[in-house]
Every structure is written in structure tokens, then in C-alpha cells.
Amino acid sequence: MIVLKDSNVELKISRGYLNEDFEYFHLKDKKNMEFEFHYHDFNKIVIFISGNVTYLIEGKAYKLKPWDILFVNSNDVHKAIISPYETYERIIIWVNSRFLEMHNRDDNNLLSCFELSSKHNISLMRLNPNNIGSVKHTLVLLEDASKDTTFGSKILKNSLFLQLMIYLNRFFLGQNVNAREEDIEFDERIENILGYINENLNGDLSIENISSKFYISKYYLMHKFKTQTGYTIHSYIQQKRMILAKSLIKKGKQMSDIAIGCGFGDYSSFVRAFKKTFGLSPKNYSKVILELDNSYNSNRHS
């Protein structure tokens, strides 16, 4: 059992932690909803069915059409902009990467759709009309199985989820990337800056250095960056460094190496920044994550 003295800390840690193989949600509403930019520690699939929605992911705006699918990688900063005048229907699936990794075979990587979308910085998959039927049919069966509690229900649910992931990877690998660009808006300079930041989190990411490298006024950079990402450039860099730190902690890296790898000049600065973001020290975070992982593994074998 995980016991934390501060419930707010517990919320911060558990907020992005998925203790199931996956979670399935079919949502339909028509109301004024405003979301903040946020991220998760797990991957997420958004299957858009109806409404008037633009999804912002890491500086790109995706204008969605029915049966568009978004692959939101763990730690992607994102939010949805929703019109309150149309019914917004979607299926959301939270994906536990560890579960998919257990079922990878040979060259068949069930996380390919997420990894390639991250590599090419394209989160959108627009289904070929011939493929929509397969996805719809599998989703209907998966939704029914998710509500079932009779004999073998969990095995059936997981097998249908794996079937869905096989279809999505097949369709993603077989599609033309350029065909999706018509409904994607972004600023190429900000995209390049985001790429530079994420590849150099251990380096000098001062506004002065970035603006000089990309030949852009630092004041224009700060304004444009906030418009495109929803974050100030300083907040985005700090958030991404903390996300990287969490990832390295989970991999069991030495704390002093993590501090250097995340761009902190000294260990004490790293600890202060981590505690300010997550509410507990890196070492205590490591203990909590270990217990959560043990809990997940225990549940899988119970």
C-alpha cells in the first residue's frame, strides 16, 4: 500500500500514472468545456466521432474530421478546443505501454504508431474509408467487453484491445503522411524550436541563446511561443526537464546524473525544481513509483 502524508502530492503522482493495462472511455456531450494544456505519463488515443474540435498538440493544431485518430504520446503537451454548439463525441483510450511491450513479437512493435508519430511530429491518422469499418467493429466489441464481468471478460477485453492496436498500427504504417497536412496548422519556426529544446534539455536553453540560434527577436519568440504552445518558453523548458527527470528516475539512473542530464548546474537546484513541480523529492518520487509498479505487476498476476 502507498501512503503519502499530503493528498495533493498523491494526486500529482497518481494523476499521470495508469495502474491498468488500458482504460476505455466513450464520451458524448454538448456543453461549454475549456481545457488547460496538460500532459500524461501514459500514451493516449483519441478517436474523434463528431463535433467541432481542434486539438492542440506540441505546437500543432489539428482540425478533426469524423473518425480521425490522434496518437498523443506520453508527456506531449496538449489540449482540445471545443465548440459548445455541436455535440462532441469521442472515444478516449489510455494506453499502458508496459502492457503492449509484453505482447510485442519479433519485429511487430505495438507501440510503433506512437513512436513514429513522435519521430515525425505528426499525431493525426486519417483513416482510409475502407479501414473505418474494421475499427468501428472492433470498438463496438471492445466497448461491450469493457462492461462485461462474466467468465473470461478481462481476457476477452485485452485480446480485443490488442486487436485494435494491430489494426491501428497497420493503418498508420500504410498511410501517406502528406495527406494529413491540409488540416494541420503550425508555425515552422516554433516547430523547429520545440525540436531543438527537446533534443537539448541538458544544454543552454536561455531565451537569449535560442533567439540567437534561430535569428529571431527574443520578445517575438516569447510571444509566438506562448501563442503556439500555451506555455511561456521558460515554463515549457522547465516542464520538459521535469518530465525527462521522471523518465530517467523510472529507468533507475543515478540522481546526480539525472540532474546533469536535465540541464541543472547542481543537484540542489534540481531537487528544488523537482519538489516545486511534483511536491516531493526525486528520491521519494522514486520510492512511490516503485510501489506503484509493484502494485501494477501484482494486479496483473492476481
Side-chain angles (χ1 to χ4, degrees):
M1 178 180 291
I2 302 159
V3 180
L4 297 174
K5 294 180 180 179
D6 188 339
S7 61
N8 290 326
V9 172
E10 183 176 12
L11 177 62
K12 286 184 179 181
I13 299 303
S14 62
R15 175 189 63 183
Y17 189 92
L18 183 57
N19 203 32
E20 301 291 338
D21 297 329
F22 69 96
E23 291 279 2
Y24 181 100
F25 308 93
H26 188 163
L27 307 171
K28 186 176 182 179
D29 37 51
K30 184 179 181 181
K31 56 186 177 181
N32 190 13
M33 294 182 291
E34 293 189 9
F35 295 96
E36 298 294 328
F37 279 99
H38 61 286
Y39 69 92
H40 309 284
D41 282 351
F42 49 82
N43 293 331
K44 180 169 76 170
I45 297 171
V46 180
I47 302 168
F48 176 70
I49 299 174
S50 69
N52 183 355
V53 177
T54 298
Y55 231 93
L56 307 182
I57 305 174
E58 289 289 339
K60 287 191 172 181
Y62 299 92
K63 178 63 178 174
L64 300 181
K65 294 182 178 180
W67 294 101
D68 277 353
I69 297 177
L70 293 170
F71 297 102
V72 184
N73 276 271
S74 61
N75 306 324
D76 277 351
V77 174
H78 62 280
K79 80 168 184 176
I81 300 175
I82 303 159
S83 168
Y85 305 108
E86 297 185 32
T87 299
Y88 176 30
E89 184 175 4
R90 69 279 191 198
I91 292 169
I92 306 289
I93 303 176
W94 294 349
V95 181
N96 193 324
S97 297
R98 291 167 296 174
F99 173 67
L100 293 183
E101 288 167 355
M102 293 174 190
H103 292 85
N104 286 341
R105 297 293 184 273
D106 302 322
D107 294 329
N108 297 311
N109 179 5
L110 293 172
L111 289 166
S112 292
C113 50
F114 290 104
E115 292 172 1
L116 290 174
S117 69
S118 179
K119 178 181 178 181
H120 298 295
N121 197 22
I122 297 287
S123 300
L124 174 66
M125 178 169 75
R126 182 151 288 162
L127 288 174
N128 182 306
N130 297 325
N131 298 333
I132 293 177
S134 300
V135 172
K136 281 185 178 181
H137 178 67
T138 307
L139 286 170
V140 169
L141 295 176
L142 178 57
E143 185 161 336
D144 289 342
S146 297
K147 301 172 184 176
D148 190 10
T149 57
T150 57
F151 176 83
S153 57
K154 186 171 182 179
I155 298 173
L156 177 60
K157 181 179 73 170
N158 284 356
S159 65
L160 287 167
F161 174 60
L162 291 172
Q163 178 179 317
L164 176 67
M165 291 307 304
I166 290 170
Y167 282 142
L168 296 185
N169 275 284
R170 283 180 181 176
F171 300 154
F172 188 87
L173 292 168
Q175 70 175 356
N176 179 5
V177 174
N178 295 327
R180 292 164 281 170
E181 292 186 349
E182 62 185 45
D183 288 314
I184 304 174
E185 295 182 3
F186 63 99
D187 185 298
E188 188 172 350
R189 288 172 301 177
I190 297 301
E191 181 185 31
N192 292 335
I193 290 169
L194 285 167
Y196 177 78
I197 289 171
N198 283 287
E199 291 171 7
N200 295 277
L201 290 171
N202 63 339
D204 178 8
L205 293 177
S206 64
I207 293 176
E208 289 77 13
N209 184 53
I210 295 172
S211 61
S212 174
K213 181 174 182 62
F214 287 91
Y215 305 102
I216 183 173
S217 159
K218 65 179 183 179
Y219 300 106
Y220 181 78
L221 169 60
M222 289 187 287
H223 169 73
K224 196 68 175 176
F225 194 93
K226 178 68 181 295
T227 301
Q228 292 290 310
T229 68
Y231 278 75
T232 66
I233 193 164
H234 173 75
S235 296
Y236 180 85
I237 291 168
Q238 192 79 337
Q239 193 73 67
K240 286 293 183 171
R241 282 175 165 163
M242 291 296 96
I243 289 170
L244 175 59
K246 288 200 303 180
S247 174
L248 294 175
I249 289 172
K250 290 176 183 178
K251 293 178 181 178
K253 302 293 184 181
Q254 292 292 322
M255 293 298 175
S256 57
D257 293 337
I258 293 173
I260 295 170
C262 294
F264 289 89
D266 59 83
Y267 182 68
S268 59
S269 297
F270 166 61
V271 172
R272 284 196 300 273
F274 195 95
K275 192 167 184 178
K276 181 178 179 181
T277 303
F278 301 113
L280 73 171
S281 71
K283 289 183 178 178
N284 285 337
Y285 176 85
S286 178
K287 293 176 183 177
V288 171
I289 287 300
L290 179 61
E291 292 192 39
L292 286 169
D293 283 342
N294 289 337
S295 175
Y296 170 71
N297 292 330
S298 176
N299 289 340
R300 290 213 80 253
H301 295 95
S302 61

